[in-house]
Amino acid sequence: MPATIGDVARLAGVGRGTVSRVLNDRPNVDPATRERVQRAIAELDFVPSLTARRLSLGRTNTIMVVGPFLTRPSAVERLSGIQAALSATSLDAVSTSVETTERRVAVIRDASRPERADGLILIHIAPSTIELERILAAGIPCVLVDAHHRRLPRVVVDDVDGGQLAARHLLDLGHKRIGFIGEVPLAEFGFSSTRLRLRGVVRVLRSAGIAIPDEHVIRGEHNREGARLSALALLAGERPPTAIIAASDTEAMGVLEAARIRGLRVPEDLSVIGYDDIDVADFIGLTTIRQPLFRTGTRAVERLLGIIAGDDPRPLREVLPVELVVRSTTGPAPV
Amino acid sequence: MPATIGDVARLAGVGRGTVSRVLNDRPNVDPATRERVQRAIAELDFVPSLTARRLSLGRTNTIMVVGPFLTRPSAVERLSGIQAALSATSLDAVSTSVETTERRVAVIRDASRPERADGLILIHIAPSTIELERILAAGIPCVLVDAHHRRLPRVVVDDVDGGQLAARHLLDLGHKRIGFIGEVPLAEFGFSSTRLRLRGVVRVLRSAGIAIPDEHVIRGEHNREGARLSALALLAGERPPTAIIAASDTEAMGVLEAARIRGLRVPEDLSVIGYDDIDVADFIGLTTIRQPLFRTGTRAVERLLGIIAGDDPRPLREVLPVELVVRSTTGPAPV
DNA sequence: TTGTAGGCGTTATCAT
DNA sequence: ATGATAACGCCTACAA
């Protein structure tokens, strides 16, 4: 039904090639001809078919974004950055949230074909050996966000430092018994960030001569309910921690709920630190580690576009800094 | 680089047509041949090119989702519903958040072409006359979510009832001075829901013999900061309201911040009601009107797919119910 | 500078 | 049941 390049050519009285040249701002077109063609284009309200162009060019004009739980506030922020960076281009972003292993395998398998996408952004997913081979074999540009892999370009935040900042802050406040609540590391999804944050925490505590007992590190589901349960378990112990570091703001909220349930005042009886600095963190006065979520998205796109354009992807690893934001859920350790 | 249907045909020693038939589970192909073709497909790890299929079929296998501020928690929930409903299909969803009029016009113009998308979901956008004509002329199936238009199929919630529920609740608690805080109705985006909610509020109050003075209806930016400012203005008046109805939970949070700033206790001095029942509403104990955000998304997809399949789109208007969720930000009116 | 023809990978039509 | 062939709409050589 819509006009095709042939219709335009006919109306303008030129060949299709000429129309194509005008369309793509190519040289070697007589100004008068160009003018005539443009009028015809306007006349017919012609817009070239993306599909036909894709097939002809062998490019898809699409980038695929894949990751688990893309509706979490932190992921939404990253996606938002991706969209923002992409809106200046003519590329489509197709994002898929994968919650199960089967979906992940199927979706990545589908996404890592050059006829499917020009580029791939993996959020929170470190490709398996098979997936990596596929990606490399297909030669499809791929950037990881908040995930680690030696062989692939990636935009990460300094999670170890995040853990360190949190621990040092609590140490400065006099806390000695510190707990950590994160999610269970799903085998299929390499939730490395939680591990790295914990590593940072442990490192700082150790250098202060403090060990963090195993029973003070609890992992549950990555959501408020899961964290609440974990925190309740933690606080029910013999000598419960006086401060808890959560792997995300959402989980920190679960910890706050647990404190409320146990009748603990925050921060007088219990200090709580989150991670991410999502929008509501400010509202509830949550002390947290701010990470540049939006920027990880824009940077991933910038790097991906660069790689597609042929830039050297190195250095592979780009680390964005994190920052401690002190609000009102942390205070001096109780005596 | 990847295998094509021709490679498969050659390897299996058949024609391309036969491979295509096998691919699409068509009858009239000898079991033995089918077997042979399938082996060749597996052998070459062949996956048909989506692009080529699109061009040949004249379908895009894509649905476009357009709306303003798609990163707001409520919109994210809707998108999440859309994605969920779509994940069972092989359709791609390309969603675009439009924040300015130019972008809106350009994006909808682009999206409402059949060669661009098989269907269109407009969130929070009622098409202008021009846009409507375009959509109808193009014959592209389109479903509205949380937006109203006589001529188009739409999935909405009962916003008037939402306003009524909120007002009645406050009335029952003895409130007589009730304020309303919403966002400014941007001309280009028909934020009708806020208007409808207010209408419900006014209706109930009027039937109780209460008028809501103009200065108790304030509109600002649709976010926490905007609502906070609006609420501060509202509370600074001569006889400030004892209860405030916000057009969204996010705005309700701004109202709560304002109360905090003014040293007002909630709900003893001021009652606050939100709208949406987003995830954090529960955490902060916000009384609110719950609307089925996720379901509006899934329903929109279901209806769109139906329409694409040729179903009668009528009845055009599908209304989903809302429900009052009483938590701890509302209480008896102060004496 | 400009028109023509071939190709991108698939599906559909039409013989056989 | 199956193979050849013509679309689908664009881009890019190549020829003129």
Side-chain angles (χ1 to χ4, degrees):
Chain A
M1 185 63 55
T4 74
I5 204 172
D7 300 330
V8 176
R10 204 171 314 119
L11 180 61
V14 301
R16 292 193 304 243
T18 304
V19 178
S20 176
R21 275 182 286 261
V22 171
L23 238 32
N24 299 290
D25 276 320
R26 288 214 141 49
N28 298 336
V29 176
D30 187 275
T33 313
R34 187 183 294 272
E35 172 70 20
R36 204 143 35 88
V37 170
Q38 272 160 346
R39 232 196 318 269
I41 289 174
E43 171 84 25
L44 295 173
D45 192 22
F46 167 76
V47 184
S49 155
L50 201 53
T51 304
R53 172 173 269 164
R54 289 204 243 247
L55 186 59
S56 175
L57 256 30
R59 278 189 271 110
T60 63
N61 243 271
T62 299
I63 79 139
M64 302 276 296
V65 183
V66 184
F69 311 110
L70 255 29
T71 56
R72 284 184 189 158
S74 55
V76 169
E77 266 303 299
R78 295 192 209 276
L79 281 176
S80 177
I82 291 174
Q83 301 274 7
L86 240 26
S87 70
T89 74
S90 65
L91 274 61
D92 282 351
V94 174
S95 55
T96 313
S97 183
V98 294
E99 265 88 54
T100 65
T101 311
E102 296 83 47
R103 281 273 294 161
R104 169 198 167 145
V105 170
V107 169
I108 293 191
R109 190 190 171 89
D110 171 56
S112 53
R113 291 179 300 130
E115 337 89 76
R116 186 65 173 94
D118 294 346
L120 184 56
I121 293 181
L122 260 29
I123 300 180
H124 236 348
I125 288 184
S128 67
T129 311
I130 299 174
E131 285 165 346
L132 177 73
E133 267 173 23
R134 232 195 164 60
I135 291 167
L136 295 179
I140 182 172
C142 173
V143 173
L144 267 35
V145 175
D146 199 28
H148 300 262
H149 197 294
R150 295 206 173 300
R151 313 265 312 263
L152 292 173
R154 51 202 187 272
V155 179
V156 297
V157 299
D158 196 339
D159 281 309
V160 173
D161 189 45
Q164 293 182 155
L165 287 174
R168 200 168 293 129
H169 174 56
L170 293 177
L171 237 35
D172 289 346
L173 288 169
H175 291 273
K176 304 250 184 295
R177 294 200 307 281
I178 296 172
F180 183 90
I181 285 182
E183 74 279 348
V184 292
L186 297 175
E188 56 270 41
F189 303 116
F191 274 90
S192 44
S193 11
T194 296
R195 212 168 47 239
L196 294 176
R197 290 167 199 171
L198 179 55
R199 184 181 302 169
V201 171
V202 169
R203 184 178 295 175
V204 164
L205 294 186
R206 185 181 306 142
S207 69
I210 296 179
I212 180 165
D214 282 351
E215 64 269 26
H216 280 185
V217 176
I218 304 206
R219 292 156 182 281
E221 272 197 87
H222 181 117
N223 55 36
R224 236 166 60 216
E225 293 66 36
R228 185 178 59 222
L229 296 177
S230 299
L232 284 174
L234 198 50
L235 295 171
E238 277 294 304
R239 287 168 53 83
T242 61
I244 294 179
I245 300 174
S248 72
D249 286 350
T250 302
E251 288 167 298
M253 288 166 67
V255 175
L256 292 175
E257 286 180 332
R260 205 186 289 159
I261 291 172
R262 299 274 303 180
L264 295 171
R265 293 164 305 164
V266 173
E268 292 81 356
D269 304 319
L270 180 72
S271 284
V272 178
I273 295 192
Y275 206 103
D276 287 341
D277 196 29
I278 60 177
D279 192 52
V280 289
D282 168 53
F283 177 80
I284 60 180
L286 181 67
T287 294
T288 191
I289 304 297
R290 174 182 299 160
Q291 63 165 322
L293 295 166
F294 190 90
R295 281 215 68 222
T296 59
T298 55
R299 280 303 297 149
V301 169
E302 286 163 9
R303 295 195 61 191
L304 189 62
L305 295 182
I307 296 169
I308 291 174
D311 294 359
D312 186 336
R314 289 169 303 180
L316 259 27
R317 182 157 172 269
E318 173 170 345
V319 182
L320 267 31
V322 296
E323 146 189 30
L324 171 69
V325 180
V326 179
R327 297 203 180 92
S328 52
T329 55
T330 47
V335 282
Chain B
M1 187 60 59
T4 75
I5 202 171
D7 301 329
V8 176
R10 203 171 316 116
L11 181 60
V14 300
R16 289 195 304 243
T18 304
V19 177
S20 177
R21 274 183 286 260
V22 171
L23 238 32
N24 299 289
D25 276 320
R26 287 209 143 54
N28 296 338
V29 42
D30 187 274
T33 313
R34 187 183 295 272
E35 171 70 18
R36 202 144 34 90
V37 171
Q38 271 159 347
R39 232 195 318 267
I41 289 174
E43 172 84 23
L44 295 172
D45 194 21
F46 166 76
V47 184
S49 155
L50 200 53
T51 306
R53 172 173 271 165
R54 289 203 243 247
L55 185 60
S56 179
L57 255 30
R59 278 189 272 111
T60 63
N61 244 271
T62 299
I63 80 141
M64 301 276 296
V65 182
V66 184
F69 311 111
L70 256 26
T71 57
R72 285 183 189 159
S74 56
V76 169
E77 266 303 299
R78 294 192 210 277
L79 282 177
S80 178
I82 291 175
Q83 300 275 8
L86 240 27
S87 70
T89 75
S90 65
L91 273 64
D92 281 351
V94 174
S95 55
T96 314
S97 183
V98 295
E99 264 87 55
T100 67
T101 310
E102 297 83 48
R103 281 272 296 161
R104 170 200 167 140
V105 170
V107 169
I108 293 192
R109 191 189 169 87
D110 170 55
S112 54
R113 291 178 300 128
E115 338 86 76
R116 186 67 173 92
D118 295 346
L120 184 56
I121 293 181
L122 260 31
I123 299 181
H124 237 346
I125 289 184
S128 68
T129 310
I130 299 173
E131 286 165 345
L132 177 72
E133 268 172 23
R134 232 193 164 61
I135 291 168
L136 294 179
I140 182 173
C142 173
V143 173
L144 268 36
V145 175
D146 200 27
H148 299 262
H149 198 295
R150 293 205 173 300
R151 311 263 315 262
L152 292 174
R154 50 201 188 275
V155 179
V156 298
V157 298
D158 195 339
D159 281 309
V160 173
D161 189 45
Q164 293 182 156
L165 287 175
R168 200 165 297 131
H169 174 56
L170 293 176
L171 238 36
D172 289 346
L173 288 168
H175 292 272
K176 303 250 184 295
R177 296 200 307 281
I178 295 172
F180 184 91
I181 285 183
E183 74 278 347
V184 292
L186 297 175
E188 56 268 41
F189 302 115
F191 274 91
S192 44
S193 12
T194 296
R195 213 168 48 241
L196 294 177
R197 290 167 200 174
L198 178 55
R199 183 179 302 167
V201 170
V202 169
R203 184 177 297 174
V204 163
L205 294 185
R206 184 182 305 142
S207 69
I210 298 180
I212 180 165
D214 281 352
E215 64 269 25
H216 280 186
V217 176
I218 304 206
R219 291 155 182 282
E221 271 196 88
H222 180 115
N223 55 36
R224 236 165 59 213
E225 293 66 36
R228 185 178 60 223
L229 297 176
S230 298
L232 284 174
L234 196 52
L235 295 171
E238 278 294 303
R239 286 168 53 81
T242 61
I244 294 180
I245 299 174
S248 70
D249 287 348
T250 302
E251 287 166 296
M253 287 166 67
V255 175
L256 292 175
E257 287 180 332
R260 206 186 288 162
I261 292 171
R262 299 274 302 181
L264 295 171
R265 292 164 306 163
V266 174
E268 291 81 358
D269 303 319
L270 181 72
S271 284
V272 178
I273 296 191
Y275 207 103
D276 287 342
D277 194 31
I278 60 177
D279 193 52
V280 290
D282 167 55
F283 178 80
I284 60 180
L286 181 66
T287 294
T288 190
I289 305 296
R290 172 182 300 160
Q291 63 165 321
L293 296 165
F294 190 90
R295 281 216 69 218
T296 59
T298 55
R299 281 303 298 152
V301 169
E302 287 163 6
R303 295 195 60 190
L304 189 63
L305 295 182
I307 296 168
I308 291 174
D311 293 0
D312 185 336
R314 287 170 304 181
L316 259 27
R317 183 157 171 270
E318 173 170 346
V319 184
L320 267 29
V322 296
E323 141 191 36
L324 171 69
V325 180
V326 179
R327 297 203 180 91
S328 52
T329 55
T330 47
V335 283

